[in-house]
Amino acid sequence: MGYQKVREISGLQERREYLNHLLSDINALGVMHKKDLFEKKINRIGAEQELFIVDKNFRPSRNALKILKKIEDRRFTTEIALFNLEINIDPLILKGDCFSNLEDQLKGLIKNAQIKAKQTDNNKVLLTGILPTLKKKDLVFRNITPHARYKTLNKVLKKIRGRNFRLHLRGVDELILTHESILFEACNTSFQVHLQIDPDNIIDKYNWSQAIAGPVLAATANSPLLFGRELWSETRIALFQQSMDTRNASLHLREQKSRVSFGTDWVRNSILELYWDDIARYTPLVTTDFKENSLETLERNEIPKLRALQLLNGTLYKWNRLCYGITDGIPHLRIENRYVPSGPSVIDEVANAVFWIGLMQGLPKIYRSIQDKMAFNEARGNFINAARTGINTYFNWFGKGISARKLILNELLPIAKKGLKESDISPRDIKKYLNIIKKRVEKRKNGSVWMINSYRSLTKEMTRDVANATIVSCMYGRQQTGKPVHEWKLAKAMDCFSPNIKKNKLEKIMTTELFVVHENDLVALIDNIMKWKNIHHMPVVNNKNKLVGVVSSSDIDKIDIKEDNLLVAKDVMIEQITCVESEITIEEAKEIMIKNKIGCLPVLENGELTGIITRNDLEGIYQKKIDSEE
């Protein structure tokens, strides 16, 4: 819906008008399909590259509109957040060295963006499925790109839900958050690949795209971290689904599936079943001004644009999405692969595209009419398992169990090679890009594995925030080399800090794994927790989980706990506490602690406790004692 000037459906009459156009569109599509009006005997490929913009500290930058203005290229456009950009690659005919051309085009466009980003506050553009340095505070409403369609979508989705957006993910760690805007979606960036399909093969090809989604995702996973938590190998899958989930109690009977989904069944008799299911299942969210009636346009022997159907399609997000388009006045159908993440490098992304397109073109005869040979839930289960465990997934593949590694190396890569040869792709390109997939799988080292191994190594010697910044810094550096991820060395500690650490932001060193106590917890309990965990300050919260004070070990030392064994935290806590935001520098934090003669600073973000910095933390940096009253 990106090019549409959309608005909320405001009343019954507007809803009726939209639905009339929608029904006209789907009926026109059926007529076009019956009359065989779609383009045949030609395959085009396309891609959409989504990017993150980061500042000199590798944190999200809000400069998308400034950078976009400097780029002055129609292929660049906005995304929902001000820290994202999108590139729409020019379509290419699937033949010869098209993939080398795709790589060259991508590199040139990204290089242009890098130059313009550097001219804008020394920013950078980055390829990654989820930016590890993102924080909840980055998802505030002011970071939504100020275009009507984004604000309208946010308003409508929130209105339908009747509550804030909620996120609950469980992987190695668990993450539970609520938020007021749809910017959870902006945490995701992808490399979306389009493949035009001959309508005579569209049912088999679409079903096949569903069957191979799990194995392809296992090889390409690149998004294991979100807000400092280890979650799924490809966390984008669950994150995107929950960020766009409009279901609530009142809509339960109409929308039983999230607007982001794998689908509900195989296509069996007509490709139009996909659209029929969408129209039956999902309520329309937005509308626009329509300039044609599609059936009347067909009667004039003209090709309709199907605006209402495309608008509905633009508010639904199947991982394999059927798309309608027109090229030189001739309509076509294509499949859009939406689940492959952005990154880790340009050459990795092109290799991912080559692997998927090769598989699509190489569909073996034994896997045609797949709806009669494989349960749909088997394909859907494979996809979810791949999102969770990535390259280490064990698949149920047509009734037999097989590891991702064996399936890809022994069966899928040969199918992809065959499909590329039959599409007349240059042997050099076939060897170059499929070899990257082969090496990546053999070494079990996709982007997700590189990131997790780097993160676990780094967090042994630094905080989560520092580790995340180090990973992003190293990721950016590795991307500039042009090497694929299976050749990357793990991120190293020395690659993050600026030479003068004292001018770094407080978030670099603050403790984020907090132990807090309730204001009615016994002091005896607090004393034991401090001894068990070797900590000297504990934040105190109330029933609303709001910070109300701090208890220090020096406060407890002044009390005879055995004599006053019923004392609770609120009896001894310091209520007049000095708090800071994580954006201040370490030097500023030191000056505040000295001036106020205190031993710790709770750190707040949007009023919520997110960390703490203590005198001991600062003494470790400055290597000298810092006086306080405690």
Side-chain angles (χ1 to χ4, degrees):
M1 63 179 243
Y3 59 86
Q4 302 267 13
K5 294 182 179 179
V6 301
R7 62 180 180 273
E8 181 181 3
I9 296 176
S10 60
L12 180 60
Q13 182 60 33
E14 200 162 46
R15 179 183 174 85
R16 287 172 175 169
E17 290 175 358
Y18 173 77
L19 290 176
N20 278 330
H21 281 286
L22 183 60
L23 291 174
S24 176
D25 282 1
I26 193 66
N27 289 330
L29 190 65
V31 172
M32 294 165 67
H33 188 64
K34 187 175 181 179
K35 290 185 175 181
D36 205 18
L37 299 181
F38 291 101
E39 188 172 36
K40 292 184 177 182
K41 309 302 181 183
I42 188 169
N43 296 112
R44 294 184 183 86
I45 61 171
E48 299 170 50
Q49 174 72 74
E50 296 175 344
L51 304 163
F52 275 102
I53 308 169
V54 296
D55 61 21
K56 62 183 179 181
N57 295 314
F58 296 97
R59 290 268 294 117
S61 168
R62 302 177 66 250
N63 282 330
L65 297 181
K66 293 180 182 178
I67 295 170
L68 192 61
K69 187 175 181 180
K70 291 181 180 180
I71 290 174
E72 293 183 325
D73 188 320
R74 61 171 179 78
R75 290 169 291 187
F76 283 82
T77 188
T78 57
E79 262 294 336
I80 192 167
L82 286 170
F83 46 76
N84 296 138
L85 282 176
E86 179 179 293
I87 305 172
N88 293 293
I89 305 301
D90 294 329
L92 297 164
I93 301 295
L94 181 64
K95 67 176 183 179
D97 55 0
C98 64
F99 292 111
S100 290
N101 291 337
L102 174 62
E103 182 182 353
D104 290 342
Q105 189 179 161
L106 267 175
K107 285 180 175 178
L109 291 166
I110 292 172
K111 182 179 180 181
N112 185 24
Q114 291 284 16
I115 292 171
K116 298 303 189 293
K118 187 174 182 180
Q119 295 171 0
T120 310
D121 301 331
N122 199 26
N123 283 179
K124 301 173 178 65
V125 296
L126 190 79
L127 307 178
T128 182
I130 295 175
L131 182 65
T133 51
L134 273 171
K135 295 188 175 182
K136 184 182 176 183
K137 68 178 183 180
D138 298 314
L139 308 184
V140 294
F141 187 75
R142 72 185 184 94
N143 284 345
I144 292 181
T145 301
H147 291 173
R149 62 180 179 269
Y150 300 128
K151 293 183 177 180
T152 298
L153 187 60
N154 181 75
K155 177 183 176 182
V156 172
L157 289 176
K158 189 173 179 179
K159 182 177 180 180
I160 290 175
R161 289 170 68 102
R163 54 182 168 81
N164 283 340
F165 297 86
R166 186 174 186 271
L167 178 67
H168 184 190
L169 293 173
R170 184 183 288 114
V172 176
D173 298 320
E174 187 172 19
L175 182 65
I176 303 175
L177 290 174
T178 58
H179 201 55
E180 63 181 6
S181 79
I182 60 172
L183 278 184
F184 278 140
E185 179 194 344
C187 297
N188 301 297
T189 58
S190 58
F191 183 64
Q192 298 161 17
V193 183
H194 295 248
L195 175 63
Q196 184 176 329
I197 303 291
D198 193 309
D200 293 339
N201 298 315
I202 191 71
I203 293 178
D204 279 335
K205 286 290 183 76
Y206 187 84
N207 286 339
W208 177 237
S209 75
Q210 297 282 75
I212 63 175
V216 172
L217 183 62
T220 60
N222 188 41
S223 312
L225 299 174
L226 176 64
F227 302 149
R229 301 292 190 273
E230 281 188 49
L231 298 168
W232 294 11
S233 285
E234 191 49 53
T235 303
R236 288 171 48 259
I237 302 304
L239 174 60
F240 193 30
Q241 178 168 322
Q242 294 186 33
S243 70
M244 298 298 291
D245 194 344
T246 58
R247 292 172 293 178
N248 62 25
S250 65
L251 285 177
H252 180 71
L253 294 178
R254 176 73 187 271
E255 297 194 11
Q256 297 181 30
K257 294 290 182 182
S258 168
R259 285 180 174 260
V260 179
S261 74
F262 185 77
T264 58
D265 199 357
W266 301 116
V267 178
R268 298 187 180 277
N269 300 305
S270 169
I271 196 64
L272 298 185
E273 291 169 15
L274 292 171
Y275 292 129
W276 295 339
D277 186 70
D278 290 344
I279 294 171
R281 191 177 299 278
Y282 299 104
T283 188
L285 298 181
V286 292
T287 189
T288 190
D289 295 322
F290 298 104
K291 298 179 180 179
E292 68 171 4
N293 179 290
S294 296
L295 287 172
E296 292 175 359
T297 301
L298 269 180
E299 289 175 0
R300 296 194 302 268
N301 294 320
E302 298 175 4
I303 300 300
K305 295 180 179 179
L306 306 185
R307 293 295 198 204
L309 186 61
Q310 295 205 60
L311 185 55
L312 177 68
N313 212 28
T315 61
L316 302 175
Y317 307 91
K318 288 189 174 72
W319 295 112
N320 287 302
R321 183 160 67 179
L322 180 67
C323 298
Y324 168 87
I326 303 172
T327 302
D328 298 328
I330 304 174
H332 68 261
L333 295 174
R334 63 185 187 276
I335 297 173
E336 178 189 14
N337 178 328
R338 298 180 52 82
Y339 57 81
V340 173
S342 179
S345 68
V346 170
I347 197 169
D348 279 307
E349 291 182 328
V350 177
N352 295 342
V354 171
F355 182 42
W356 179 70
I357 291 171
L359 281 171
M360 291 294 293
Q361 295 297 92
L363 168 60
K365 290 183 179 179
I366 59 170
Y367 293 140
R368 292 184 180 274
S369 300
I370 204 170
Q371 61 271 25
D372 300 324
K373 303 170 184 176
M374 183 183 196
F376 182 79
N377 281 346
E378 190 173 298
R380 181 161 53 191
N382 285 341
F383 182 74
I384 297 301
N385 289 338
R388 290 182 182 275
T389 54
I391 199 64
N392 295 314
T393 304
Y394 197 77
F395 291 112
N396 189 342
W397 188 251
F398 292 90
K400 66 177 181 180
I402 188 170
S403 69
R405 187 170 181 269
K406 286 186 178 179
L407 178 60
I408 293 169
L409 292 176
N410 297 340
E411 182 167 357
L412 298 187
L413 277 173
I415 291 174
K417 184 176 181 179
K418 172 178 172 290
L420 295 167
K421 284 184 176 179
E422 291 176 350
S423 299
D424 198 26
I425 301 301
S426 74
R428 185 179 67 86
D429 275 9
I430 296 174
K431 181 178 180 180
K432 174 184 176 181
Y433 296 113
L434 290 188
N435 192 54
I436 289 172
I437 302 296
K438 180 174 182 288
K439 294 294 184 183
R440 185 194 301 168
V441 173
E442 285 177 342
K443 294 184 177 184
R444 291 188 175 92
K445 190 178 178 183
N446 57 17
S448 182
V449 172
W450 177 86
M451 201 177 297
I452 285 298
N453 288 342
S454 295
Y455 181 77
R456 291 175 179 174
S457 175
L458 291 168
T459 50
K460 292 178 182 178
E461 52 184 303
M462 59 181 67
T463 66
R464 286 178 176 178
D465 284 329
V466 179
N468 288 331
T470 302
I471 287 170
V472 177
S473 172
C474 291
M475 189 190 309
Y476 176 78
R478 306 289 192 269
Q479 287 176 7
Q480 306 317 300
T481 69
K483 293 182 179 179
V485 71
H486 70 267
E487 297 180 11
W488 289 9
K489 294 180 180 179
L490 296 184
K492 299 295 183 181
M494 73 268 311
D495 293 334
C496 178
F497 287 120
S498 63
N500 186 354
I501 188 175
K502 299 167 190 177
K503 292 187 178 181
N504 269 301
K505 301 294 184 182
L506 196 58
E507 63 188 11
K508 297 283 188 180
I509 67 162
M510 70 182 187
T511 299
T512 55
E513 189 172 351
L514 299 176
F515 293 93
V516 301
V517 292
H518 189 270
E519 60 184 354
N520 291 322
D521 282 340
L522 289 172
V523 172
L525 172 64
I526 299 170
D527 183 48
N528 278 289
I529 294 174
M530 286 183 169
K531 291 174 181 176
W532 295 335
K533 296 299 181 180
N534 191 28
I535 53 180
H536 302 286
H537 301 85
M538 293 199 70
V540 183
V541 299
N542 61 16
N543 288 332
K544 296 181 179 179
N545 207 33
K546 295 297 183 182
L547 182 68
V548 293
V550 172
V551 174
S552 71
S553 57
S554 60
D555 294 325
I556 295 179
D557 289 342
K558 299 173 185 177
I559 303 168
D560 187 341
I561 299 176
K562 292 182 179 179
E563 184 174 331
D564 297 322
N565 59 2
L566 296 181
L567 285 175
V568 294
K570 63 183 177 183
D571 296 326
V572 300
M573 69 185 185
I574 302 169
E575 296 184 45
Q576 300 299 318
I577 51 178
T578 302
C579 301
V580 295
E581 296 279 337
S582 62
E583 291 298 308
I584 72 167
T585 66
I586 296 170
E587 181 72 16
E588 288 170 332
K590 172 196 168 188
E591 295 302 323
I592 291 171
M593 293 177 75
I594 292 175
K595 178 181 178 181
N596 293 281
K597 296 183 179 181
I598 52 179
C600 75
L601 283 172
V603 183
L604 305 180
E605 290 180 1
N606 297 323
E608 296 183 8
L609 180 67
T610 58
I612 192 169
I613 181 78
T614 68
R615 183 174 65 251
N616 288 341
D617 295 328
L618 292 179
E619 286 176 353
I621 295 172
Y622 287 88
Q623 297 182 336
K624 66 179 181 181
K625 186 174 179 61
I626 297 175
D627 293 328
S628 73
E629 287 187 340
E630 301 175 14

